[in-house]
Amino acid sequence: MKITDIKVTPVTVPMEAPLRWSMGVETGTTRAIIEVSTDEGITGIGETYGGNAIEHAIEAAKPYILGLDPLETGILNHRLGVFCIGYETAVPAVARAGIEMAFLDAAGKALNRPIHSLLGGAVRDRVETAAYLFFRYEGEGGIGGESTAEEMVERTEELISRYGFRVLKLKGGVLPPKVEFEVVRQLQKRFPDSPLRWDPNAAWSVETSLQVLRRLDAENIELEYLEDPTWNLEGMSLVRKASTIPFATNMCLVAWEQLAPGIQMRSVDIILSDVHFWGGFRQNQRMMAVCDAFHLGVGMHSDRELGISTAAMLHLAAASPSLVYAIDSHYHDQVADIITQPFQYKDGFFDVPQGPGLGVEINWDNVEKYNRLYREQGQVNEFYDTRRPNWVPALPIF
Ligand code: MG
């Protein structure tokens, strides 16, 4: 079987309410829906970050992938730039990820096997997911608007009763650390049996991070992990030396060339895998092998994936024995999906798809609808908050 064509359709799907984070606001998600055609009439689908740059990158990749067998993901990765990182000819990791996803979907369909089977086999048939807790601006119909500890506890109660979550993750870096500390304190008091993570997306200075750690210690608050309290490998390494809490990252160590320095500097304890950031299933598997060798933990990052990417995350999670933490997902914050049977949480878990390939089908009506929205509104820009353009959260606080 040979790849004969590749096509990209961008979509924008809104959030129920705008999600706040340290560098801006997420009002929705812009994604690229990828289709690869083959000479046997099988079409593989993939999904990755959307927007002009990605569309151009995939178009640029086209001459290098036509004629490949969809199982030839090693050649695909080699040709598209894993071994020429830093050169302008390299296709960005997130574009490679979407193409590889579509390749393996086509291969799985041809072989009548789910992708997790092609990745080495599933060690689990369902994947636990954390309750992703955001401070939200108020959306349509009065949804959202959380800005106090009481409101966040109430939102958490709602999510737990609706979806059965056990693990909690607070997206911080939005309000002054002192205010967020109180939210963390109240969450742990109200849900003492729930592992709790806190992710300020590198909003704090080294000094602020050290103050937060001292306060957590003084109040006997044990987090499951603290995610990216401060920025870059050096900052994380400085703070981590003083921490008894494990440090996780999806910011300072997100690419192959950062693994060696990050490990040498002992900047993190847990690397959050990501089908997109790391450049696909195979690159995540390579990264996890390094984590095994150096006794680093493995979790999984989320950044507003729709159903195709969510399926990919579940296949990777299913085939990753090293993954020991509940994965993140934005799924419950999005108003709609572009697959025919959207995923359902069961007791805080997603079932791993078992059909051939990714095991999901595209809902073309919704693709058309949200492609229209993309054409009307353009790409979602999450790196800005017009309501407070000069927000500087890194000042010392206590
Ligand atoms: Mg993060």
Side-chain angles (χ1 to χ4, degrees):
M1 186 162 65
K2 303 286 180 206
I3 301 292
T4 55
D5 199 9
I6 184 162
K7 190 181 154 209
V8 184
T9 310
V11 293
T12 288
V13 176
M15 295 291 167
E16 272 189 351
L19 309 179
R20 302 176 65 186
W21 71 299
S22 73
M23 298 180 201
V25 183
E26 300 170 347
T27 55
T29 184
T30 296
R31 307 292 288 179
I33 310 302
I34 299 166
E35 297 164 80
V36 295
S37 317
T38 64
D39 60 356
E40 293 186 14
I42 290 172
T43 300
I45 56 171
E47 177 193 322
T48 190
Y49 287 84
N52 287 337
I54 299 296
E55 280 183 69
H56 291 150
I58 291 173
E59 190 58 37
K62 195 168 169 178
Y64 303 101
I65 63 175
L66 296 183
L68 286 178
D69 185 292
L71 275 175
E72 291 172 338
T73 53
I75 301 174
L76 172 76
N77 280 309
H78 182 76
R79 285 191 184 172
L80 297 190
V82 169
F83 297 108
C84 46
I85 286 162
Y87 288 92
E88 285 179 9
T89 51
V91 173
V94 297
R96 291 199 305 270
I99 298 169
E100 189 208 56
M101 200 184 291
F103 266 49
L104 287 183
D105 184 53
K109 284 170 177 165
L111 296 166
N112 199 25
R113 308 282 290 257
I115 284 182
H116 57 69
S117 167
L118 306 182
L119 298 178
V123 294
R124 48 181 77 90
D125 57 12
R126 58 184 200 144
V127 176
E128 187 168 18
T129 308
Y132 214 153
L133 309 169
F134 283 84
F135 296 104
R136 298 180 295 174
Y137 285 130
E138 200 170 302
E140 276 176 36
I143 294 174
E146 300 83 4
S147 63
T148 66
E150 292 69 29
E151 285 162 348
M152 192 57 82
V153 166
E154 199 180 310
R155 166 70 171 157
T156 309
E157 281 169 347
E158 179 200 345
L159 287 175
I160 289 175
S161 74
R162 213 189 281 177
Y163 304 121
F165 294 119
R166 182 184 67 96
V167 179
L168 310 179
K169 167 165 172 165
L170 179 68
K171 179 59 99 186
V174 169
L175 302 175
K178 201 171 185 172
V179 177
E180 289 186 7
F181 188 91
E182 183 56 20
V183 176
V184 167
R185 211 175 64 80
Q186 294 288 341
L187 283 172
Q188 198 180 56
K189 194 170 152 204
R190 172 66 185 82
F191 310 101
D193 298 325
S194 296
L196 175 60
R197 335 173 159 163
W198 187 4
D199 176 15
N201 280 105
W204 307 334
S205 64
V206 165
E207 292 79 6
T208 299
S209 304
L210 291 170
Q211 283 181 307
V212 170
L213 284 175
R214 282 195 292 273
R215 182 62 71 92
L216 286 166
D217 225 23
E219 300 258 353
N220 262 332
I221 296 177
E222 278 187 34
L223 298 181
E224 183 185 40
Y225 54 73
L226 187 57
E227 188 173 322
D228 292 304
T230 194
W231 57 90
N232 78 22
L233 294 175
E234 175 68 13
M236 287 283 279
S237 171
L238 288 172
V239 181
R240 184 180 168 274
K241 283 193 186 105
S243 179
T244 53
I245 296 168
F247 275 21
T249 188
N250 69 284
M251 294 181 77
C252 67
L253 209 172
V254 291
W256 187 254
E257 69 270 27
Q258 293 164 338
L259 266 172
I263 290 169
Q264 282 160 1
M265 293 163 77
R266 307 302 302 176
S267 300
V268 299
D269 303 278
I270 298 153
I271 294 179
L272 300 179
S273 63
D274 188 310
V275 172
H276 311 92
F277 278 16
W278 283 88
F281 297 108
R282 300 297 187 195
Q283 298 307 315
N284 275 272
Q285 290 187 304
R286 290 174 81 210
M287 176 271 282
M288 286 184 203
V290 174
C291 288
D292 289 347
F294 286 93
H295 295 269
L296 292 169
V298 175
M300 189 176 284
H301 172 245
S302 161
D303 189 6
R304 298 163 293 153
E305 301 83 10
L306 298 174
I308 300 168
S309 283
T310 300
M313 291 164 72
L314 297 174
H315 284 281
L316 178 63
S320 299
S322 309
L323 181 84
V324 291
Y325 295 96
I327 70 168
D328 291 341
S329 176
H330 285 68
Y331 208 68
H332 53 272
D333 278 307
Q334 288 159 179
V335 299
D337 202 351
I338 45 80
I339 56 173
T340 53
Q341 291 184 302
F343 289 96
Q344 304 288 334
Y345 291 103
K346 290 182 201 157
D347 301 324
F349 285 73
F350 281 137
D351 286 339
V352 176
Q354 300 299 337
L358 286 165
V360 295
E361 302 280 335
I362 291 183
N363 174 338
W364 287 108
D365 289 342
N366 275 7
V367 168
E368 204 181 306
K369 176 176 174 185
Y370 293 110
N371 173 252
R372 224 172 16 247
L373 197 63
Y374 171 82
R375 283 187 272 121
E376 284 162 16
Q377 296 186 355
Q379 186 178 351
V380 169
N381 176 14
E382 68 272 25
F383 288 96
Y384 195 56
D385 183 351
T386 51
R387 297 184 218 204
R388 49 176 197 175
N390 299 316
W391 164 243
V392 180
L395 301 170
I397 38 130
F398 289 122

